């Protein structure tokens, strides 16, 4: 009897198992290979199904097996696949993006029911905005991949490209039979700790481990600082999100109704939370706004997850799509922190014969800790690398990744490593770096900048030169740099040599000694342009205006005492040897002199509250401020008792800020003010920079002539506004061109004291007339107003600028047209 019961038991078990079917799989984007979260997976003809998770996986159990399974998601072409009659099977889907625009929904009676949901979300924003937390920290894993896509036939048939693809034929293609070929060029993984504190808002990321591989990447220390989570933050509780240097309006911004329509699609279960599913539709297709889906918790009205896209129709250049997917989790205090974020940026072909670019970012955060804020000094460096950040085995990464690398990602690593070794790739990648940075690395030495290799002007004639500098491989405490140049007409050598000792990298502290002898021009202030080698080279080309030979010996000390607060001090000994007709009247004797020496003691303060700074090898690099202005105050004292010919004081104040004006675009302003105390030759004064060229520049007064005015006390305001399509997007024919209106205003108040006017003689010792000093009326500002169009054919800008005052000055230009070329998104 027991034997029959045993047989019956196994029969019932088999029957039970036979009656349950398991279908699982993954849904990915056919073009990018990335997972598609939140897609609807349904057994065809039934109501049985589920949504994919953030990694694109699904798993359905059913007692009744139908003949096919279907996947659908907005923005993609739906797809069905046949099911086999087996108890367990894996069915993967690769969906192709659909060329569809979201529709605008019209509600004929009553208010759109989605509007009340959005009102509740906006009302409760402060309850869930992570910026309300006093302090928190997270453990983050970040993954970045950059691929070349849009591999057109004309591109792949190029001789240099064929050399690459022939080497890669042995590697499995990174696509499937429904996708497009891609060529990966960069892949990175980063494990880090992220810290945040409020009042004041301070952020810091400590990179614990980082692995970077990419074409042209020779040293991962700099790259590792910008591949962490600090640069991949997207908070939809902010009204505006900054992405690729543009401001995008959040779907739950305070002014949501101006920019968006919504449709209440469904009530769905996400995890254990019942949520409203809302479709987001921009009111105007060219606005910098999102389309897609947001999930709102029914009980709390908090964001649960988002899947939003900036469409190709938005007023952006080259970018075909920006897609952001995000899951949020509540903290114990209430505000939400993103647990997973995935971003795709797809850049189209500049021309039909070139390739496109696809950048993919993934960040996962866990181990969220709320507690007491770290001290302010802790945030001195926005990004910090652990000493052993680059030392980690494959076993370590396998054990510490949030998710294991897919087979596609493993193939990407193999392909990038192969690409790096191909000679033609190395040649082009090093060549591009050489052009962009100006230097060519050769072991522990960099050769350059290339802008010093050759030039031509009316003073030097043909000029040749060569420069060298040490790099991080030579030392992380000492940096040496120098160049030597020779003019074949003036038959003079020019040079610059410097030695810098880095005393403290954490609180950036340096001591630098520099000696130079170079051609300068009155009003250009080349000392402040040392970081821009291309502009310096251009300023030494052609006709030099009021040139002089400048000899300098300088000792400078710098230290960052706390985050954003940089102190500098030093001594500068300089000689001014004019190469044009210049004389000044000596204060004591009244004699006319043409050359002079100065000995200056200098000190300066710079403060950028939220300026992001990284350490690029042995230099500091700024990513600019996010919200708060940057202040600078500099003071110099000219001393006769230390060997100088002049005794004076110079005080200068500078302020810069970028303003997000919301719907109206972005503004930038600069305030520059200064005063010179004492009787000095006019090259010591502020010689306001004019622009007689055809090209527009923000560094000069564009209707002012070279050396037209100088001041010993002044204050100026430069204001630039970028409408970002606000005006022209509303004109039916113009908006298709994606032109953008710009405006600018420059205002200058200045004056020169009588003693400095008398210092400038009108004739030389032989009685010949010489150039004199142009002065401004202290009660009458110099004003120029401009307007223009940028983004013409995606590259060009035209400005129309009116000179509003000082029109009676000889050779004044009341109206000028300036052009410029730029690469903007």
């Amino acid at each position: 009897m027991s034997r029959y019961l045993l047989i019956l038991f196994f029969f019932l078990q088999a029957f039970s198992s036979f009656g349950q079917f398991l279908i699982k799989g993954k849904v990915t984007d056919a073009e990018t290979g990335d997972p598609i979260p939140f897609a609807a997976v349904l057994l065809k003809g039934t109501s049985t199904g589920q949504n994919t998770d953030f990694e694109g996986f699904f798993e359905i159990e059913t007692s009744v097996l139908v003949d096919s399974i279907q996947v659908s998601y907005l923005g993609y072409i739906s797809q069905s696949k046949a099911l086999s009659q087996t108890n367990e099977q894996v069915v993967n889907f690769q969906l192709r993006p659909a060329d569809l625009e979201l529709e605008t929904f019209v509600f004929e009676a009553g208010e759109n029911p989605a509007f009340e949901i959005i009102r509740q979300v906006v009302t409760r924003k402060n309850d869930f905005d992570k910026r309300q937390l006093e302090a928190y920290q997270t453990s983050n894993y970040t993954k970045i991949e950059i691929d070349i896509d849009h591999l057109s036939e004309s591109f792949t048939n190029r001789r240099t490209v064929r050399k690459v693809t022939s080497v890669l034929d042995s590697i499995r293609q990174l696509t499937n039979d429904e996708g497009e070929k891609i060529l990966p060029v960069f892949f990175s993984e980063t494990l880090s700790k992220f810290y945040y504190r409020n009042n004041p808002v301070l952020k810091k990321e400590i990179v614990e481990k980082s692995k970077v591989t990419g074409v042209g990447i020779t040293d991962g220390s700099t790259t590792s600082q910008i591949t962490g989570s600090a640069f991949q933050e997207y908070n939809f509780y902010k009204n505006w999100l900054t992405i690729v240097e543009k401001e995008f309006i959040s779907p739950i911004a305070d002014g949501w109704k101006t920019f968006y329509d919504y449709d209440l699609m469904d009530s769905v279960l996400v995890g254990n939370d019942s949520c409203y599913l809302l479709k987001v539709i921009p009111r105007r297709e060219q606005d910098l706004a999102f389309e897609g889906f947001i999930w709102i918790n029914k009980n709390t009205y908090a964001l649960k997850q988002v899947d939003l896209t900036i469409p190709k129709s938005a007023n952006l250049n080259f970018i075909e799509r920006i897609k952001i997917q995000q899951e949020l989790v509540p903290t114990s205090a209430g505000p939400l922190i993103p647990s997973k974020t995935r971003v795709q940026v797809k850049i189209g072909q500049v021309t039909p014969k070139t390739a496109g670019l696809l950048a993919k970012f993934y960040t996962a955060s866990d181990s969220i800790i709320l507690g007491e804020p770290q001290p302010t000094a802790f945030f001195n460096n926005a990004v910090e690398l652990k000493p052993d950040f680059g030392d980690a085995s494959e076993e370590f990464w396998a054990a510490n990744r949030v998710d294991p690398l897919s087979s596609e990602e493993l193939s990407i690593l193999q392909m990038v490593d192969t690409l790096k070794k191909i000679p033609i790739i190395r040649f082009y990648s090093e060549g591009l770096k050489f052009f962009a940075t100006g230097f060519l690395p050769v072991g522990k030495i960099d050769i350059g900048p290339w802008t010093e290799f050759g030039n031509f002007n009316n003073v030097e004639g043909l000029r040749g030169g060569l420069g060298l500098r040490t790099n991080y491989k030579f030392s992380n405490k000492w940096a040496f740099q120098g160049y030597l140049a020779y003019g074949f007409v003036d038959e003079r050598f020019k040079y610059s040599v410097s030695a810098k000792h880095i005393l403290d990298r954490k609180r950036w502290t340096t001591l630098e000694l520099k000696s130079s002898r170079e051609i300068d021009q009155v009003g250009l202030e080349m000392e402040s342009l040392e970081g821009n080698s291309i502009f310096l080279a251009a300023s030494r080309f052609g006709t030099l205006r009021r040139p002089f030979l400048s000899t300098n010996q300088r000792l400078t000390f710098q230290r960052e005492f706390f985050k954003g607060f940089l102190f500098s001090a030093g001594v500068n000994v300089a000689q001014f040897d004019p190469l044009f007709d210049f004389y000044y009247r000596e204060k004591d004797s009244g004699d006319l002199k043409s050359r002079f020496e100065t000995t200056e003691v200098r000190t300066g303060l710079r403060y950028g509250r939220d300026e992001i700074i990284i350490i690029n090898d042995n230099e500091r690099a700024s990513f600019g401020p996010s919200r708060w202005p940057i202040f600078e105050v500099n003071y110099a004292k000219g001393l006769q008792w230390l060997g100088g010919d002049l005794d004076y004081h110079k005080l200068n104040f500078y302020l810069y800020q970028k303003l997000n004006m919301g719907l109206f675009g972005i503004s930038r302003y600069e305030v520059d003010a200064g005063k010179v105390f004492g009787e000095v030759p006019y090259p010591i004064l502020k010689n306001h920079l004019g622009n007689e060229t055809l090209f527009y520049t923000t560094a000069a007064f564009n209707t002012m002539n070279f050396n037209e005015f100088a001041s010993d006390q002044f204050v100026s305001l430069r204001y630039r506004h970028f409408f970002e399509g606000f005006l022209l997007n509303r004109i039916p024919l113009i908006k298709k061109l994606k032109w953008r209106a710009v405006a600018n205003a420059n205002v200058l108040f200045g004056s020169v004291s009588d003693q400095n006017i008398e210092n400038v003689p009108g004739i030389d010792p032989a009685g010949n007339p010489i150039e004199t000093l142009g002065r401004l009326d202290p009660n009458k500002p110099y004003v120029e107003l401009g307007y223009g169009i940028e983004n013409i054919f995606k590259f060009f800008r035209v400005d129309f600028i009116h000179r509003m005052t000082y029109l009676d000055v000889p050779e004044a230009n009341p109206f000028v047209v300036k052009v410029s070329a730029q690469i903007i998104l």
Side-chain angles (χ1 to χ4, degrees), residues 426-528:
R426 294 179 60 185
F427 174 80
Y428 277 107
S429 62
E430 292 300 323
L432 287 173
K433 285 172 61 180
F434 179 46
F435 179 78
T437 66
F439 288 89
L440 178 67
V442 181
K444 298 179 181 181
I445 302 294
D446 297 344
I447 300 174
W450 58 263
T451 52
E452 290 294 339
F453 293 169
N455 211 323
F456 184 86
N457 58 66
N458 63 316
V459 174
E460 299 174 285
L462 180 64
R463 170 185 168 124
L466 181 66
L468 301 170
R469 72 178 182 186
T470 61
N471 55 39
Y472 191 78
K473 295 178 182 178
F474 175 84
S475 173
N476 65 350
K477 294 184 178 296
W478 288 94
F480 301 95
Q481 184 170 349
Y483 70 83
L484 182 67
Y486 182 76
F488 288 90
V489 170
D490 67 347
E491 298 181 341
R492 290 190 182 99
F493 282 100
K494 292 87 182 175
Y495 67 87
S496 174
V497 292
S498 66
K500 180 169 67 177
H501 183 36
I502 302 173
L503 303 168
D504 186 350
R505 299 182 74 89
K506 190 170 184 180
R507 290 190 174 183
W508 187 254
T509 307
T510 64
L511 185 65
E512 183 177 16
L513 180 63
K514 183 173 183 178
S515 177
S516 66
R517 182 176 174 84
E518 188 53 270
I519 297 289
D520 205 337
Q521 298 175 72
V522 174
L524 273 184
E525 300 178 354
M526 288 192 179
E527 180 184 328
S528 62

Side-chain angles (χ1 to χ4, degrees), residues 34 77 117 143 356 368 457 541 552 695:
D34 289 320
I77 300 172
I117 298 173
K143 182 169 54 180
I368 301 170
N457 58 66
F541 183 81
N552 282 271
F695 304 103

Side-chain angles (χ1 to χ4, degrees), residues 525-540:
E525 300 178 354
M526 288 192 179
E527 180 184 328
S528 62
L529 300 172
E530 289 177 347
N532 192 333
S533 59
I534 294 178
F535 187 85
L536 273 176
S539 68
R540 296 193 184 116

Side-chain angles (χ1 to χ4, degrees), residues 284-286 313 315 725 727-739:
R284 290 169 296 274
E285 63 177 10
Q286 288 195 323
S313 60
N315 196 334
L727 297 175
L728 302 184
N729 275 359
R730 288 155 175 77
I731 303 175
L733 295 178
I734 298 295
K735 71 178 183 179
K736 293 184 178 181
L737 299 173
K738 294 190 176 181
W739 288 358

Side-chain angles (χ1 to χ4, degrees), residues 310-484:
I310 299 166
K312 187 176 181 179
S313 60
N315 196 334
L316 291 171
N317 285 334
F318 313 119
I319 294 181
E320 292 187 354
R321 182 177 63 186
I322 299 176
K323 189 176 184 67
I324 303 176
Q325 299 164 323
Q326 193 174 80
E327 281 186 344
L328 300 101
V329 296
T331 61
S332 58
L336 309 173
I337 288 181
S339 59
K340 292 182 179 180
T341 303
R342 183 181 292 109
V343 180
Q344 298 175 13
V345 181
K346 191 169 186 178
I347 300 175
Q349 299 160 282
V350 178
T351 68
K353 294 185 177 181
T354 60
L357 204 65
L358 179 66
K360 298 186 279 189
F361 309 86
Y362 173 80
T363 298
S365 302
D366 58 15
S367 303
I368 301 170
I369 300 175
L370 307 183
E372 291 298 318
Q374 296 283 353
T376 302
F378 174 80
F379 296 91
N380 272 358
N381 295 329
V383 182
E384 184 178 315
L385 300 176
K386 283 282 187 71
D388 59 344
F389 75 95
D391 300 329
S393 63
E394 286 301 323
E395 290 76 15
F396 171 86
W397 284 105
N400 287 275
R401 289 186 183 104
V402 175
D403 303 298
L405 295 182
S406 65
S407 59
E408 289 83 3
E409 288 169 333
L410 292 173
S411 294
I412 285 168
L413 283 171
Q414 182 187 2
M415 185 174 284
V416 173
D417 286 337
T418 303
L419 279 171
K420 290 165 58 178
K421 299 172 185 176
I422 299 175
I424 190 68
I425 291 291
R426 294 179 60 185
F427 174 80
Y428 277 107
S429 62
E430 292 300 323
L432 287 173
K433 285 172 61 180
F434 179 46
F435 179 78
T437 66
F439 288 89
L440 178 67
V442 181
K444 298 179 181 181
I445 302 294
D446 297 344
I447 300 174
W450 58 263
T451 52
E452 290 294 339
F453 293 169
N455 211 323
F456 184 86
N457 58 66
N458 63 316
V459 174
E460 299 174 285
L462 180 64
R463 170 185 168 124
L466 181 66
L468 301 170
R469 72 178 182 186
T470 61
N471 55 39
Y472 191 78
K473 295 178 182 178
F474 175 84
S475 173
N476 65 350
K477 294 184 178 296
W478 288 94
F480 301 95
Q481 184 170 349
Y483 70 83
L484 182 67

Side-chain angles (χ1 to χ4, degrees), residues 114-157:
F115 285 2
E116 179 58 27
I117 298 173
I118 295 296
R119 282 197 197 98
Q120 292 293 337
V121 173
V122 172
T123 300
R124 305 184 190 190
K125 279 171 64 173
N126 286 340
D127 296 338
F128 302 107
D129 188 345
K130 64 181 180 179
R131 293 176 295 173
Q132 301 301 315
L133 295 170
E134 187 65 25
Y136 69 85
Q137 70 180 68
T138 59
S139 297
N140 294 347
Y141 169 76
T142 306
K143 182 169 54 180
I144 300 176
E145 177 190 338
I146 300 177
D147 309 312
I148 296 175
D149 71 347
H150 290 306
L151 298 176
S152 63
E153 185 175 350
S154 59
F155 178 81
T156 54
N157 284 335

Side-chain angles (χ1 to χ4, degrees), residues 736-752:
K736 293 184 178 181
L737 299 173
K738 294 190 176 181
W739 288 358
R740 303 168 194 164
V742 293
N744 58 78
N746 292 332
V747 181
L748 167 67
F749 282 91
S751 65
V752 184

